[in-house]
Amino acid sequence: MSWVLWLAVTFSYYAFFSWLPTLLIARGFTITHSFGFSIAICVAQIPGYFSAGFCNEYSGRKTTIVTYLGAAVISAASMALVSSSTGILIAGILLSFFMNGTFAGVYAYTPEIFPTALRATGMGSASAIGRIGAIAAPLLIGVLYPKAGLAGVFGMTALILLFGALSILVFGPSTVNRSLEEIESTY
């Protein structure tokens, strides 16, 4: 479950952010306009991370991750469907906000779900699997975009995020109000 989660989140993050200026230019934006949008979209990561940190403490990590991933799915689907400059900017800001917020939950949740003796190995292996997504995403987007366009790229991103959300929703243990010893005893 943690590997699927990390793969989905990291793949989608790098698919979005590594290609964002290029996809905007291909959509008809000028280079200056594209980079201006990219900056505004990237700045949304900061409040996304802080808000998820707050939600992690009050709603729990699993709930925060699933909620933020669900909102990221909607944002990615919106990015695939909108055509106006304002729509693209709003969908991009929301996707950035929720993607980075998801990372705040993932970094807190992953070590909690592994037994103490395997915590570092579990976190490291999940992160390493996630890096496979980071490597594959820009390559796959480069192949997919000419064939499927912006809608195809963000539609695929939405599906991958949905798969990650369903993975944790179905298989992820809840850590709310549980000590690490209690969580470990479920294994």
Side-chain angles (χ1 to χ4, degrees):
M1 178 276 312
S2 67
W3 288 10
V4 170
L5 175 64
W6 274 83
L7 185 67
V9 172
T10 308
F11 178 94
S12 299
Y13 182 87
Y14 283 93
F16 180 53
F17 288 105
S18 64
W19 279 91
L20 182 61
T22 304
L23 294 173
L24 291 173
I25 290 169
R27 195 73 184 259
F29 292 94
T30 65
I31 291 174
T32 305
H33 204 179
S34 171
F35 281 109
F37 269 39
S38 295
I39 290 168
I41 289 169
C42 288
V43 166
Q45 292 180 14
I46 298 166
Y49 208 80
F50 281 120
S51 68
F54 177 81
C55 291
N56 279 333
E57 297 304 324
Y58 292 98
S59 301
R61 283 96 163 112
K62 180 178 175 177
T63 300
T64 300
I65 294 168
V66 171
T67 301
Y68 275 63
L69 277 176
V73 168
I74 293 166
S75 301
S78 298
M79 193 82 171
L81 299 173
V82 297
S83 58
S84 70
S85 297
T86 304
I88 290 170
L89 180 61
I90 291 169
I93 285 172
L94 290 172
L95 182 56
S96 180
F97 179 94
F98 290 115
M99 284 296 305
N100 212 52
T102 299
F103 271 117
V106 170
Y107 279 115
Y109 182 73
T110 304
E112 285 183 330
I113 61 172
F114 288 98
T116 303
L118 298 173
R119 192 158 291 132
T121 302
M123 179 66 184
S125 65
S127 179
I129 294 297
R131 299 305 167 218
I132 293 170
I135 293 165
L139 301 172
L140 186 58
I141 298 304
V143 171
L144 181 64
Y145 178 73
K147 296 174 182 166
L150 194 66
V153 167
F154 287 105
M156 178 193 66
T157 302
L159 287 174
I160 290 171
L161 288 169
L162 179 62
F163 189 64
L166 290 174
S167 166
I168 191 170
L169 185 64
V170 173
F171 300 110
S174 176
T175 60
V176 173
N177 297 321
R178 296 175 67 198
S179 68
L180 292 176
E181 293 78 19
E182 287 177 84
I183 298 166
E184 187 173 336
S185 71
T186 61
Y187 298 106

